[in-house]
Amino acid sequence: MEIAFVSGGSSGIGLATVRSFLSQGVKVVTCGRSEDRWLALVKDDVALSAVDFIPADCTDESHVESLFEYIKSNYGHLNYAVNNASPDSGSNGVFQVQPFDALRKTVEADLISHMHCLKKELEIMGAGGCIVNVSSVNGIRPTPGAAAYSAAKHGLEGLTRSVALEAIKSGVRVNSVAPGVTWTPRWERRQAETSITREDVSNLVPIGRFADAAEIASAIQWLCSKESSYVVGHTLVVDGGLSLA
């Protein structure tokens, strides 16, 4: 039985990725900070009841340790892992005026937590395994107004490429996907809280729209498939041309 782990699988790209693996007949283990949110999803979509959901906050070291001990004890191995969890950033705005604690929490959430998960995944993944880190176009270009988030994603890019060269010696492929603007609950909240509209942002993207989370999940699925068997340490940019504009 093939086993996949997806962090932050209860919404957005994570949820779309969980569904993508399910459609391939893969047993999925996922985690999230709200069990109530997950139970509501299962109520609306009975297919998700096949997923092993573990309440966990990936920014909490003890939660990550317990999570992977559970996976090791109950499944023994992983074939696929997707490091996706990314809570709303609390450090958006001009860097100089951001509280340092907010900057640090952003880096912990979007880099350190993935680093911890990546280390644990490699411990229980054998030859033929695939890991995908969910980065961002903000990890390959400057992002004024979100400096800490951009720094974390740049760090994730460096981590991906460096670990890829180490892990491939054991037959494990590590890559990343860098989404552009993707319509998720995070963007829904952002639109409700600011004057920024979906149309405003869509007009900045050459393709003229947001990505659907399922489109990013398809890219992740490809990086985990045999079709990408010669792809190592690569960042697959899925942004509708945004990084070119």
Side-chain angles (χ1 to χ4, degrees):
M1 178 171 59
E2 292 190 317
I3 312 296
F5 168 69
V6 181
S7 69
S10 60
S11 67
I13 293 170
L15 179 57
T17 302
V18 166
R19 287 182 164 135
S20 180
F21 275 121
L22 280 179
S23 72
Q24 300 294 319
V26 176
K27 177 63 180 181
V28 182
V29 182
T30 192
C31 66
R33 292 174 295 168
S34 174
E35 187 171 17
D36 288 342
R37 178 189 297 171
W38 181 258
L39 292 175
L41 288 168
V42 173
K43 186 177 179 180
D44 290 338
D45 183 359
V46 68
L48 292 175
S49 62
V51 176
D52 195 349
F53 176 83
I54 312 298
D57 179 351
C58 289
T59 64
D60 187 314
E61 291 184 18
S62 64
H63 285 201
V64 173
E65 293 290 334
S66 296
L67 172 63
F68 282 94
E69 185 57 41
Y70 174 86
I71 294 172
K72 183 178 179 180
S73 297
N74 287 273
Y75 299 102
H77 71 286
L78 283 174
N79 300 93
Y80 314 104
V82 180
N83 296 310
N84 161 78
S86 179
D88 288 354
S89 175
S91 62
N92 290 333
V94 177
F95 173 78
Q96 185 179 349
V97 301
Q98 298 304 307
F100 182 74
D101 187 56
L103 297 170
R104 179 174 57 203
K105 286 180 178 178
T106 295
V107 174
E108 288 174 348
D110 286 291
L111 175 59
I112 303 302
S113 66
H114 296 312
M115 188 182 296
H116 194 182
C117 287
L118 178 59
K119 185 176 186 301
K120 304 304 292 186
E121 290 154 5
L122 289 168
E123 291 174 4
I124 56 175
M125 186 174 284
C130 300
I131 298 173
V132 178
N133 295 320
V134 180
S135 181
S136 168
V137 290
N138 296 322
I140 59 175
R141 66 176 193 173
T143 316
Y149 178 78
S150 182
K153 293 301 188 180
H154 273 79
L156 188 60
E157 288 293 318
L159 180 70
T160 298
R161 290 191 288 274
S162 298
V163 175
L165 290 177
E166 298 175 356
I168 197 59
K169 296 174 184 178
S170 301
V172 175
R173 292 191 299 113
V174 181
N175 292 288
S176 76
V177 61
V181 290
T182 306
W183 193 251
T184 63
R186 174 184 286 190
W187 266 104
E188 291 177 8
R189 290 190 295 272
R190 187 172 181 182
Q191 181 176 246
E193 294 167 358
T194 70
S195 60
I196 299 172
T197 69
R198 185 171 183 171
E199 183 179 9
D200 290 336
V201 178
S202 295
N203 289 336
L204 299 175
V205 184
I207 204 171
R209 63 174 177 84
F210 276 72
D212 185 85
E215 292 177 296
I216 310 305
S218 292
I220 292 170
Q221 195 70 56
W222 182 77
L223 286 171
C224 290
S225 72
K226 290 183 173 60
E227 282 73 18
S228 66
S229 58
Y230 205 60
V231 179
V232 176
H234 177 68
T235 299
L236 179 55
V237 179
V238 188
D239 71 347
L242 181 62
S243 60
L244 304 177

